[in-house]
Amino acid sequence: MGDIAGWIALGATCLAALMTASNLGPRVTGWGFVVFTFGAIAWIVVGVATDQTQLLWSNIFLGVVDLFGIWRWLGWQTRISDTVEAEQNRSETESGETLLAFSKLEGMLVIGSDGSIVAHAVDALAACSTGHFSHLIIAEGGVAGVGETLRKLPWDKVKMVGDTLVTDLDSARIQRLESLEAA
């Protein structure tokens, strides 16, 4: 029994770690904590079956942390995400300006003037007094965060087309934008 539980624990823990580390939204992260909970239960079985007290108690504690993660990500954070999405959708059907949640910008593709992907959005900055976007922080080049350059793309050079950001700049002009570094 301990051997089977050990393999289940290993698989669940690895899968849950991938799900939470991927940051694919509150639902995926929340379900990652559900899988972590199954892993903790399996590790508890291993701890009991093999008389490993430290394994038992550490996974009882981690199981409690996992329950908090489930509440945080499948409860509270999902409720916020669903509310923001409903407001964004409502703005598309009501008169007035279509709204975009800041939280939806991260990872959005930035399409250049030639139709190719020139960057992806990382974040945006808005003026405190007006709430208007000042500029978009984009990541250009590199792979999965390695070797990429963060740049400042003025918001007046960006427009939303569906769920994609479009700019009239081409790749060469994107590379000439101001490069950003942490202080």
Side-chain angles (χ1 to χ4, degrees), residues 37-96:
T37 303
F38 283 110
I41 292 167
W43 283 121
I44 290 168
V45 170
V46 172
V48 169
T50 60
D51 201 29
Q52 295 183 60
T53 308
Q54 296 91 343
L55 185 63
L56 169 69
W57 285 106
S58 65
N59 279 282
I60 288 172
F61 173 76
L62 291 174
V64 171
V65 172
D66 296 337
L67 293 176
F68 173 73
I70 292 167
W71 169 81
R72 167 89 163 75
W73 292 101
L74 285 181
W76 183 64
Q77 203 58 42
T78 296
R79 188 178 125 249
I80 291 170
S81 180
D82 290 348
T83 302
V84 167
E85 189 155 334
E87 283 300 306
Q88 191 171 308
N89 292 340
R90 194 176 352 271
S91 76
E92 294 173 4
T93 59
E94 295 177 355
S95 62

Side-chain angles (χ1 to χ4, degrees), residues 74-132:
L74 285 181
W76 183 64
Q77 203 58 42
T78 296
R79 188 178 125 249
I80 291 170
S81 180
D82 290 348
T83 302
V84 167
E85 189 155 334
E87 283 300 306
Q88 191 171 308
N89 292 340
R90 194 176 352 271
S91 76
E92 294 173 4
T93 59
E94 295 177 355
S95 62
E97 188 75 34
T98 299
L99 302 174
L100 170 70
F102 276 80
S103 61
K104 300 290 184 182
L105 282 171
E106 184 180 354
M108 286 182 115
L109 300 178
V110 180
I111 306 299
S113 59
D114 65 354
S116 68
I117 299 169
V118 294
H120 66 274
V122 176
D123 210 335
L125 295 170
C128 292
S129 61
T130 63
H132 296 264

Side-chain angles (χ1 to χ4, degrees), residues 110-119 165-171 174:
V110 180
I111 306 299
S113 59
D114 65 354
S116 68
I117 299 169
V118 294
L165 299 163
V166 178
T167 182
D168 59 357
L169 303 179
D170 60 15
S171 184
I174 289 287

